[in-house]
Amino acid sequence: MGTIFLRILKDRKISLGVYCLTGMLLLWMFIALYPIVQEQATGLMELLEGMPEGFLKAFGVDSESFTTIEGFLAAKQYSATWPLMVILLLVAIAGAVIAGEIEKGSIEITLSRPVSRINIYFGRYLVGLVSLFVFTIFSVFSIVPLAALYDIDIAFSNVLKLSVITFLFGWAILSLSMLLSSIFSEKNRVYMIVGSLMIGMYILNTIALIKESIDYIKYASFFHYLDTVGALIFDTIGNTSIIVFSISAAVFTILGAWWFKKRDIAV
Protein backbone atom coordinates (compact mmCIF):
# COMPACT_ATOMS: atom_id res chain seq x y z
CA MET A 1 0.00 0.00 0.00
CA GLY A 2 2.80 2.38 0.89
CA THR A 3 4.58 1.85 -2.42
CA ILE A 4 1.40 2.45 -4.40
CA PHE A 5 0.64 5.57 -2.37
CA LEU A 6 4.10 7.08 -2.79
CA ARG A 7 4.26 6.35 -6.52
CA ILE A 8 0.92 7.99 -7.31
CA LEU A 9 1.56 10.92 -4.98
CA LYS A 10 4.96 11.51 -6.61
CA ASP A 11 3.31 11.56 -10.04
CA ARG A 12 0.83 14.18 -8.86
CA LYS A 13 3.01 16.41 -6.69
CA ILE A 14 3.46 19.14 -9.32
CA SER A 15 -0.24 19.40 -10.17
CA LEU A 16 -1.10 19.40 -6.45
CA GLY A 17 1.45 22.16 -5.83
CA VAL A 18 0.00 24.28 -8.62
CA TYR A 19 -3.51 23.72 -7.26
CA CYS A 20 -2.46 24.75 -3.74
CA LEU A 21 -0.81 27.88 -5.12
CA THR A 22 -3.99 28.73 -7.03
CA GLY A 23 -6.06 28.33 -3.87
CA MET A 24 -3.70 30.66 -2.00
CA LEU A 25 -3.79 33.27 -4.77
CA LEU A 26 -7.59 33.29 -4.80
CA LEU A 27 -7.60 33.70 -1.02
CA TRP A 28 -5.07 36.52 -1.32
CA MET A 29 -7.33 38.24 -3.86
CA PHE A 30 -10.32 38.19 -1.53
CA ILE A 31 -8.29 39.42 1.46
CA ALA A 32 -6.80 42.21 -0.66
CA LEU A 33 -10.30 43.23 -1.77
CA TYR A 34 -11.71 43.31 1.76
CA PRO A 35 -10.43 46.79 2.80
CA ILE A 36 -12.07 48.25 -0.33
CA VAL A 37 -15.33 46.41 0.34
CA GLN A 38 -15.30 47.52 3.98
CA GLU A 39 -15.00 51.15 2.93
CA GLN A 40 -18.10 50.77 0.75
CA ALA A 41 -20.03 48.62 3.26
CA THR A 42 -22.67 51.25 4.06
CA GLY A 43 -23.47 51.91 0.41
CA LEU A 44 -23.54 48.22 -0.42
CA MET A 45 -25.94 47.43 2.41
CA GLU A 46 -28.26 50.24 1.33
CA LEU A 47 -28.19 48.83 -2.18
CA LEU A 48 -29.18 45.39 -0.92
CA GLU A 49 -31.93 46.55 1.46
CA GLY A 50 -34.61 46.28 -1.19
CA MET A 51 -33.73 42.71 -2.15
CA PRO A 52 -35.68 39.71 -0.80
CA GLU A 53 -34.25 38.25 2.42
CA GLY A 54 -34.33 34.73 1.00
CA PHE A 55 -32.31 35.81 -2.01
CA LEU A 56 -29.64 37.35 0.20
CA LYS A 57 -29.49 34.22 2.39
CA ALA A 58 -29.11 32.02 -0.67
CA PHE A 59 -25.96 33.84 -1.65
CA GLY A 60 -24.63 34.25 1.88
CA VAL A 61 -25.02 38.01 1.96
CA ASP A 62 -25.63 39.88 5.24
CA SER A 63 -24.07 42.72 7.21
CA GLU A 64 -21.21 40.47 8.33
CA SER A 65 -20.29 39.88 4.68
CA PHE A 66 -19.10 43.48 4.38
CA THR A 67 -18.16 44.53 7.89
CA THR A 68 -15.92 41.66 9.05
CA ILE A 69 -13.16 39.75 7.30
CA GLU A 70 -14.57 36.51 8.71
CA GLY A 71 -18.00 37.15 7.19
CA PHE A 72 -16.52 38.29 3.89
CA LEU A 73 -14.36 35.18 3.49
CA ALA A 74 -17.12 32.84 4.68
CA ALA A 75 -19.51 34.26 2.07
CA LYS A 76 -17.16 34.77 -0.87
CA GLN A 77 -14.35 32.24 -0.58
CA TYR A 78 -15.43 29.32 1.58
CA SER A 79 -19.11 29.01 0.69
CA ALA A 80 -18.63 28.99 -3.07
CA THR A 81 -15.10 29.15 -4.49
CA TRP A 82 -13.37 26.75 -2.08
CA PRO A 83 -15.99 23.97 -2.27
CA LEU A 84 -15.87 24.08 -6.07
CA MET A 85 -12.08 23.84 -6.06
CA VAL A 86 -11.95 20.94 -3.62
CA ILE A 87 -14.66 19.03 -5.49
CA LEU A 88 -12.76 19.39 -8.77
CA LEU A 89 -9.50 18.32 -7.10
CA LEU A 90 -10.85 15.23 -5.36
CA VAL A 91 -13.10 14.01 -8.17
CA ALA A 92 -10.19 14.30 -10.59
CA ILE A 93 -7.95 12.21 -8.30
CA ALA A 94 -10.58 9.59 -7.47
CA GLY A 95 -11.68 9.20 -11.07
CA ALA A 96 -8.14 8.79 -12.33
CA VAL A 97 -6.66 6.40 -9.74
CA ILE A 98 -9.21 3.60 -10.19
CA ALA A 99 -11.77 4.11 -12.98
CA GLY A 100 -9.17 5.88 -15.11
CA GLU A 101 -6.68 3.05 -14.73
CA ILE A 102 -9.36 0.45 -15.45
CA GLU A 103 -10.29 2.40 -18.56
CA LYS A 104 -6.67 2.45 -19.76
CA GLY A 105 -6.01 -1.15 -18.70
CA SER A 106 -3.02 -0.14 -16.58
CA ILE A 107 -4.57 -1.37 -13.33
CA GLU A 108 -4.13 -4.95 -14.54
CA ILE A 109 -0.38 -4.65 -13.91
CA THR A 110 -1.05 -3.68 -10.29
CA LEU A 111 -3.63 -6.42 -9.78
CA SER A 112 -1.21 -9.05 -11.09
CA ARG A 113 1.17 -8.35 -8.20
CA PRO A 114 0.94 -10.13 -4.82
CA VAL A 115 -0.89 -7.22 -3.19
CA SER A 116 -4.44 -7.44 -1.85
CA ARG A 117 -7.14 -5.38 -3.49
CA ILE A 118 -7.87 -3.71 -0.17
CA ASN A 119 -4.28 -2.45 -0.01
CA ILE A 120 -4.50 -1.28 -3.62
CA TYR A 121 -7.73 0.57 -2.90
CA PHE A 122 -6.49 2.30 0.25
CA GLY A 123 -3.14 3.12 -1.32
CA ARG A 124 -5.07 5.17 -3.87
CA TYR A 125 -7.53 6.46 -1.30
CA LEU A 126 -4.69 7.86 0.80
CA VAL A 127 -3.45 9.86 -2.20
CA GLY A 128 -6.75 11.71 -2.23
CA LEU A 129 -6.83 12.11 1.54
CA VAL A 130 -3.28 13.50 1.72
CA SER A 131 -4.00 15.81 -1.23
CA LEU A 132 -7.07 17.10 0.59
CA PHE A 133 -5.05 17.65 3.77
CA VAL A 134 -2.29 19.55 1.96
CA PHE A 135 -4.77 21.67 0.00
CA THR A 136 -6.68 22.49 3.20
CA ILE A 137 -3.48 23.56 4.96
CA PHE A 138 -2.47 25.93 2.17
CA SER A 139 -5.91 27.25 1.23
CA VAL A 140 -7.22 27.75 4.78
CA PHE A 141 -4.31 28.45 7.14
CA SER A 142 -2.85 30.96 4.69
CA ILE A 143 -5.58 33.30 5.96
CA VAL A 144 -3.43 34.12 9.00
CA PRO A 145 -0.25 35.42 7.26
CA LEU A 146 -2.19 37.01 4.38
CA ALA A 147 -4.50 38.88 6.75
CA ALA A 148 -1.50 40.06 8.75
CA LEU A 149 -0.01 41.41 5.52
CA TYR A 150 -2.93 43.88 5.37
CA ASP A 151 -3.02 44.52 9.15
CA ILE A 152 -6.29 42.60 9.47
CA ASP A 153 -6.88 40.73 12.71
CA ILE A 154 -8.42 37.27 12.60
CA ALA A 155 -8.58 34.70 15.39
CA PHE A 156 -6.54 31.56 14.80
CA SER A 157 -9.14 29.42 16.58
CA ASN A 158 -11.74 30.47 14.00
CA VAL A 159 -9.39 29.47 11.19
CA LEU A 160 -8.76 26.15 12.91
CA LYS A 161 -12.50 25.47 13.13
CA LEU A 162 -12.82 26.37 9.45
CA SER A 163 -10.08 23.92 8.51
CA VAL A 164 -11.90 21.12 10.36
CA ILE A 165 -15.30 21.67 8.74
CA THR A 166 -13.84 22.11 5.25
CA PHE A 167 -11.66 19.00 5.62
CA LEU A 168 -14.66 16.93 6.72
CA PHE A 169 -16.65 18.21 3.72
CA GLY A 170 -13.80 17.24 1.40
CA TRP A 171 -13.43 13.84 3.07
CA ALA A 172 -17.08 13.03 2.36
CA ILE A 173 -16.70 14.13 -1.29
CA LEU A 174 -13.51 12.06 -1.70
CA SER A 175 -15.12 8.93 -0.24
CA LEU A 176 -18.16 9.28 -2.49
CA SER A 177 -15.94 9.79 -5.53
CA MET A 178 -13.79 6.76 -4.69
CA LEU A 179 -16.92 4.62 -4.32
CA LEU A 180 -18.12 5.64 -7.78
CA SER A 181 -14.64 5.17 -9.20
CA SER A 182 -14.73 1.59 -7.88
CA ILE A 183 -18.11 0.97 -9.49
CA PHE A 184 -17.49 2.41 -12.95
CA SER A 185 -14.79 1.74 -15.52
CA GLU A 186 -14.71 5.18 -17.15
CA LYS A 187 -13.48 8.22 -15.25
CA ASN A 188 -15.80 10.55 -17.19
CA ARG A 189 -18.80 8.77 -15.70
CA VAL A 190 -17.40 9.40 -12.23
CA TYR A 191 -16.92 13.08 -13.03
CA MET A 192 -20.42 13.38 -14.47
CA ILE A 193 -22.23 11.64 -11.62
CA VAL A 194 -20.38 13.37 -8.79
CA GLY A 195 -20.72 16.71 -10.57
CA SER A 196 -24.45 16.19 -11.05
CA LEU A 197 -24.91 15.18 -7.41
CA MET A 198 -23.02 18.23 -6.15
CA ILE A 199 -24.95 20.59 -8.41
CA GLY A 200 -28.19 18.99 -7.26
CA MET A 201 -27.21 19.36 -3.61
CA TYR A 202 -26.24 23.00 -4.13
CA ILE A 203 -29.59 23.72 -5.81
CA LEU A 204 -31.52 21.99 -3.01
CA ASN A 205 -29.73 24.06 -0.38
CA THR A 206 -30.31 27.28 -2.31
CA ILE A 207 -34.01 26.58 -2.85
CA ALA A 208 -34.39 25.76 0.86
CA LEU A 209 -32.91 29.14 1.78
CA ILE A 210 -35.23 30.98 -0.60
CA LYS A 211 -38.49 29.09 0.11
CA GLU A 212 -38.94 28.41 3.81
CA SER A 213 -42.01 26.21 3.33
CA ILE A 214 -39.79 23.44 1.93
CA ASP A 215 -36.62 24.19 3.88
CA TYR A 216 -36.47 20.53 4.98
CA ILE A 217 -34.87 19.65 1.62
CA LYS A 218 -31.65 21.30 2.82
CA TYR A 219 -30.90 18.25 4.96
CA ALA A 220 -30.20 16.26 1.79
CA SER A 221 -27.39 18.63 0.83
CA PHE A 222 -23.77 18.52 1.99
CA PHE A 223 -23.67 22.29 1.49
CA HIS A 224 -26.13 22.78 4.34
CA TYR A 225 -23.68 21.16 6.74
CA LEU A 226 -20.71 23.13 5.42
CA ASP A 227 -21.22 25.88 7.97
CA THR A 228 -18.28 28.14 7.20
CA VAL A 229 -20.11 31.10 8.76
CA GLY A 230 -20.38 29.30 12.09
CA ALA A 231 -16.70 28.35 12.00
CA LEU A 232 -15.23 31.68 10.89
CA ILE A 233 -17.57 34.13 12.61
CA PHE A 234 -18.83 32.31 15.70
CA ASP A 235 -15.89 29.90 16.24
CA THR A 236 -18.22 26.89 16.37
CA ILE A 237 -18.77 23.65 14.50
CA GLY A 238 -22.16 21.98 14.71
CA ASN A 239 -22.18 18.41 15.99
CA THR A 240 -24.63 17.50 13.24
CA SER A 241 -22.15 18.58 10.56
CA ILE A 242 -19.38 16.48 12.10
CA ILE A 243 -21.67 13.45 12.37
CA VAL A 244 -23.08 13.72 8.83
CA PHE A 245 -19.71 14.18 7.14
CA SER A 246 -17.95 11.53 9.24
CA ILE A 247 -20.65 8.89 8.80
CA SER A 248 -20.97 9.64 5.07
CA ALA A 249 -17.21 9.37 4.59
CA ALA A 250 -16.99 6.12 6.58
CA VAL A 251 -19.93 4.48 4.79
CA PHE A 252 -18.76 5.50 1.31
CA THR A 253 -15.21 4.33 2.12
CA ILE A 254 -16.34 0.90 3.31
CA LEU A 255 -18.67 0.45 0.34
CA GLY A 256 -15.95 1.55 -2.08
CA ALA A 257 -13.39 -0.88 -0.68
CA TRP A 258 -15.94 -3.72 -0.64
CA TRP A 259 -17.05 -3.07 -4.21
CA PHE A 260 -13.49 -2.84 -5.52
CA LYS A 261 -12.60 -6.08 -3.79
CA LYS A 262 -15.55 -8.04 -5.23
CA ARG A 263 -15.89 -6.55 -8.72
CA ASP A 264 -14.70 -8.44 -11.77
CA ILE A 265 -11.67 -6.80 -13.38
CA ALA A 266 -9.97 -8.88 -16.07
CA VAL A 267 -6.27 -9.44 -15.44
Side-chain angles (χ1 to χ4, degrees):
M1 182 173 70
T3 303
I4 296 170
F5 163 73
L6 291 174
R7 177 180 60 81
I8 298 176
L9 189 63
K10 182 179 179 180
D11 293 340
R12 293 183 168 272
K13 64 180 180 182
I14 295 177
S15 58
L16 177 60
V18 171
Y19 212 77
C20 289
L21 179 60
T22 302
M24 289 177 61
L25 290 175
L26 283 170
L27 175 60
W28 192 353
M29 179 188 72
F30 283 115
I31 291 176
L33 283 173
Y34 173 69
I36 301 172
V37 172
Q38 190 179 33
E39 290 176 2
Q40 305 297 324
T42 302
L44 289 170
M45 289 306 300
E46 290 177 354
L47 181 66
L48 295 171
E49 279 180 359
M51 294 187 177
E53 184 179 351
F55 177 84
L56 297 178
K57 285 182 178 179
F59 291 94
V61 178
D62 54 26
S63 59
E64 298 283 353
S65 301
F66 304 111
T67 57
T68 68
I69 184 63
E70 293 88 354
F72 183 68
L73 290 178
K76 303 304 178 186
Q77 170 74 342
Y78 294 103
S79 292
T81 306
W82 193 94
L84 176 61
M85 289 193 70
V86 84
I87 290 169
L88 291 174
L89 171 66
L90 298 176
V91 174
I93 292 173
V97 296
I98 296 182
E101 290 199 14
I102 294 173
E103 186 176 7
K104 293 187 298 183
S106 56
I107 201 169
E108 295 179 3
I109 299 174
T110 304
L111 292 176
S112 65
R113 296 173 179 172
V115 181
S116 71
R117 285 200 179 190
I118 293 297
N119 282 339
I120 292 172
Y121 178 84
F122 280 105
R124 284 158 167 71
Y125 184 94
L126 282 175
V127 172
L129 200 60
V130 169
S131 298
L132 169 62
F133 179 78
V134 172
F135 180 70
T136 302
I137 293 295
F138 280 92
S139 61
V140 174
F141 284 101
S142 294
I143 292 175
V144 177
L146 289 174
L149 190 63
Y150 292 88
D151 295 321
I152 300 172
D153 293 327
I154 189 166
F156 181 79
S157 62
N158 297 51
V159 177
L160 183 61
K161 294 288 196 315
L162 176 67
S163 70
V164 172
I165 195 65
T166 51
F167 180 85
L168 290 174
F169 171 81
W171 184 28
I173 300 300
L174 170 66
S175 301
L176 171 62
S177 302
M178 287 294 293
L179 167 60
L180 293 172
S181 190
S182 298
I183 294 173
F184 299 107
S185 301
E186 301 86 24
K187 61 183 180 182
N188 286 338
R189 295 185 68 180
V190 178
Y191 302 158
M192 181 181 67
I193 294 173
V194 176
S196 298
L197 286 173
M198 292 303 106
I199 292 172
M201 286 184 178
Y202 186 83
I203 292 172
L204 286 177
N205 190 55
T206 302
I207 292 174
L209 290 170
I210 295 174
K211 195 168 182 62
E212 293 185 0
S213 61
I214 55 171
D215 69 340
Y216 54 84
I217 63 175
K218 66 188 179 185
Y219 299 113
S221 172
F222 280 163
F223 292 93
H224 167 66
Y225 304 101
L226 181 62
D227 187 11
T228 57
V229 171
L232 262 179
I233 298 177
F234 302 108
D235 193 23
T236 60
I237 301 177
N239 290 331
T240 303
S241 297
I242 295 174
I243 292 170
V244 168
F245 287 141
S246 298
I247 291 178
S248 297
V251 170
F252 292 146
T253 300
I254 293 169
L255 288 175
W258 173 78
W259 191 277
F260 182 72
K261 181 180 179 181
K262 70 176 279 293
R263 73 168 293 182
D264 182 26
I265 302 174
V267 180

